Amino acid sequence: MILDRFRLDDRVAVVTGAGRGLGAAIALAFAEVGADVLIAARTQAQLEEVAKQVEALGRKAHIVAADLAHPDETAKLAAAAVDAFGRLDIVVNNIGGTMPAALLDTSTKQLRDAFTFNVATAHALTTAAVPLMLEHSGGGSIINITSAIGRLAGRGFAAYGTAKAALAHYTRLTALDLSPRIRVNAIAPGSIVTPALDIVASNDELRKPMEDATPLRRLGQPEDIAAAAVYLASPAGSYLTGKTIEVDGGLTYPNLSMPIPDL
């Protein structure tokens, strides 16, 4: 049956930034279709809550509380997954983010930090995971979470958008390097209702213009991204590598304008 191709029975996944938001939704979706998960983020209490939900779905969760803004910490997660579960099949590089700022207020340090947080962390975990995936599973799937702003032009996003665009191209490059045994793809979310968007989602005056500027006339839900992650991680997506799935409601321009005036 076609639905069987979306199963991840007894696979093992590492999901970063999994204490809440997209990472938590992806971890729970993986558990629902049969995977055990290593979930990592900074906040222990949030991870414990997600782990309880994973276990309620009949799967196992291993928690790693760490500051994943440091690539050295992120790289450790691959070995931790093998230690906990004996194998590693899937990696989701979900951590990232950078506060918007006007271009002339964006320092070279802020640009460098954006690359570290959004790209170098993914590279650190990827390069640590690949040998273990090959050794214990023979192959696998890596998913990078990029952003719609990595391809759309909006004021205030020079650091974040450039870093996410780099992550998208990193996806294409690493897919070629790691084929045919490991697939590497990306998901580019649009505006998703997560804690990062709480202020907008709870304010009709802010939310309504964003919805109106989105062709599907709504903001996304974490489950929209989780469903795409299941597809890419599972046999259902086995003929995709080096691709970015744009889960953004059909955006062709940003639906949130930063109040940055002309020079």
Side-chain angles (χ1 to χ4, degrees):
M1 294 182 64
I2 191 65
L3 289 179
D4 292 339
R5 293 178 62 88
F6 291 85
R7 298 292 306 177
L8 292 172
D9 294 308
D10 300 321
R11 307 286 177 86
V12 171
V14 169
V15 183
T16 64
R20 60 179 186 169
L22 299 185
I26 291 169
L28 291 173
F30 283 175
E32 189 172 341
V33 294
D36 296 323
V37 291
L38 182 149
I39 51 176
R42 283 181 297 182
T43 306
Q44 178 81 18
Q46 292 177 345
L47 291 170
E48 289 175 353
E49 180 57 35
V50 175
K52 289 179 184 177
Q53 295 177 63
V54 168
E55 290 162 2
L57 291 166
R59 303 307 305 183
K60 298 176 182 177
H62 181 73
I63 291 172
V64 176
D67 185 354
L68 301 180
H70 301 288
D72 289 346
E73 292 298 315
T74 311
K76 295 176 183 177
L77 300 178
V82 173
D83 289 344
F85 299 114
R87 62 184 293 157
L88 178 57
D89 305 275
I90 303 157
V91 167
V92 180
N93 289 305
N94 172 60
I95 59 167
T98 301
M99 291 298 293
L103 178 64
L104 298 185
D105 295 330
T106 301
S107 68
T108 54
K109 180 182 183 303
Q110 289 170 316
L111 185 63
R112 186 169 59 249
D113 288 347
F115 271 82
T116 297
F117 194 28
N118 293 277
V119 184
T121 53
H123 179 65
L125 179 51
T126 295
T127 53
V130 165
L132 298 176
M133 296 168 85
L134 293 175
E135 177 184 355
H136 295 280
S137 301
S141 173
I142 296 171
I143 302 169
N144 298 318
I145 305 301
T146 62
S147 171
I149 207 65
R151 67 179 177 86
L152 303 176
R155 282 187 175 179
F157 295 104
Y160 179 66
T162 302
K164 287 301 191 183
L167 184 59
H169 195 48
Y170 175 84
T171 299
R172 289 186 282 270
L173 294 169
T174 53
L176 187 60
D177 284 345
L178 299 178
S179 63
R181 295 176 68 185
I182 293 177
R183 297 183 297 108
V184 187
N185 292 288
I187 301 170
S191 298
I192 310 297
V193 181
T194 66
L197 208 63
D198 274 349
I199 294 176
V200 170
S202 61
N203 185 320
D204 288 345
E205 292 183 3
L206 296 174
R207 187 186 70 252
K208 186 63 165 58
M210 291 182 67
E211 292 173 337
D212 290 344
T214 304
L216 289 184
R217 301 295 188 266
R218 70 173 178 90
L219 303 183
Q221 296 296 320
E223 292 74 18
D224 295 320
I225 307 304
V230 168
Y231 171 60
L232 291 176
S234 70
S238 62
Y239 201 50
L240 278 79
T241 197
K243 304 304 179 185
T244 297
I245 296 182
E246 298 167 0
V247 187
D248 58 15
L251 292 178
T252 57
Y253 56 88
N255 60 0
L256 175 63
S257 298
M258 302 304 299
I260 296 176
D262 292 347
L263 296 177

